[in-house]
Amino acid sequence: MASRPTNHFHPEHPTESELLMRLNPLRLFHREPPQPVLLAVTPPRTGERTLLGVENLLGSIAVPEPFSLELSADPSGPRLMVRCLDGEVVRGQVASHYPQARVERIEPPDDPLRIGADERAWSLSLRSSGPEFLPLRIFQDRDLLDPGSDPLLAPLGALANLKDGERVVA
């Protein structure tokens, strides 16, 4: 019987190295790289609001890649959005911390950061005048108990009453 070259694949009679390649357990773990995901989060209207709860949520999103929290608005109103690579981790953590919250995927054509050919955009960077490591203000949980003390009220108010064709992302 003639020997066959080892670099030629025969499906009926694979060589030992060809069998090992087919049975390579590392191939079981090979996945396509995740694609970026944009999620819109609608928090519940009622419930306890604590800074510790938000800290716990942000700390629980243990993904190795960066993610961002964004406020976006158009004439229909403001939205809280999360931009990330692993939407299932973020979705699961938001659901476990805020079970009544709605989390919806935003498709790429509806991304508020997408700029159409007939649109114009401008940007602005705000910086603290103090050292970068200092917060603008330190909040305590009791600060949120007073009506109107929510630190997001001012940014959300600035995102209200947009005209047709306008949108803002922060």
Side-chain angles (χ1 to χ4, degrees):
M1 180 161 130
S3 67
R4 62 179 209 264
T6 57
N7 61 353
H8 192 287
F9 179 73
H10 290 278
E12 306 88 41
H13 305 288
T15 65
E16 184 179 349
S17 63
E18 290 167 344
L19 278 174
L20 287 173
M21 285 302 293
R22 279 198 226 164
L23 301 175
N24 183 351
L26 294 177
R27 293 176 77 191
L28 298 173
F29 298 109
H30 177 70
R31 295 187 317 182
E32 293 297 317
Q35 296 300 310
V37 175
L38 182 62
L39 302 171
V41 179
T42 306
R45 292 241 201 240
T46 60
E48 186 178 352
R49 298 176 300 166
T50 65
L51 295 174
L52 181 59
V54 174
E55 282 182 43
N56 287 338
L57 169 64
L58 294 176
S60 71
I61 301 175
V63 289
E65 67 275 346
F67 71 97
S68 69
L69 297 175
E70 304 169 6
L71 288 175
S72 78
D74 59 20
S76 66
R79 293 191 291 184
L80 173 64
M81 304 199 326
V82 180
R83 196 173 298 272
C84 55
L85 280 181
D86 191 346
E88 292 309 309
V89 169
V90 173
R91 184 186 300 268
Q93 290 303 325
V94 169
S96 68
H97 285 80
Y98 300 101
Q100 296 84 13
R102 268 194 346 245
V103 181
E104 301 171 284
R105 184 182 176 127
I106 304 294
E107 296 302 321
D110 298 325
D111 186 340
L113 285 179
R114 183 183 208 108
I115 301 170
D118 60 337
E119 296 179 318
R120 293 181 293 171
W122 60 272
S123 67
L124 173 69
S125 294
L126 301 176
R127 296 176 193 235
S128 170
S129 60
E132 292 180 10
F133 59 87
L134 293 177
L136 296 174
R137 178 177 171 199
I138 298 173
F139 286 92
Q140 302 295 322
D141 280 339
R142 67 179 176 271
D143 295 335
L144 295 179
L145 298 176
D146 299 328
S149 64
D150 189 334
L152 284 178
L153 288 179
L156 289 173
L159 297 175
N161 302 321
L162 296 177
K163 299 178 181 125
D164 284 340
E166 291 181 330
R167 66 180 182 268
V168 177
V169 179

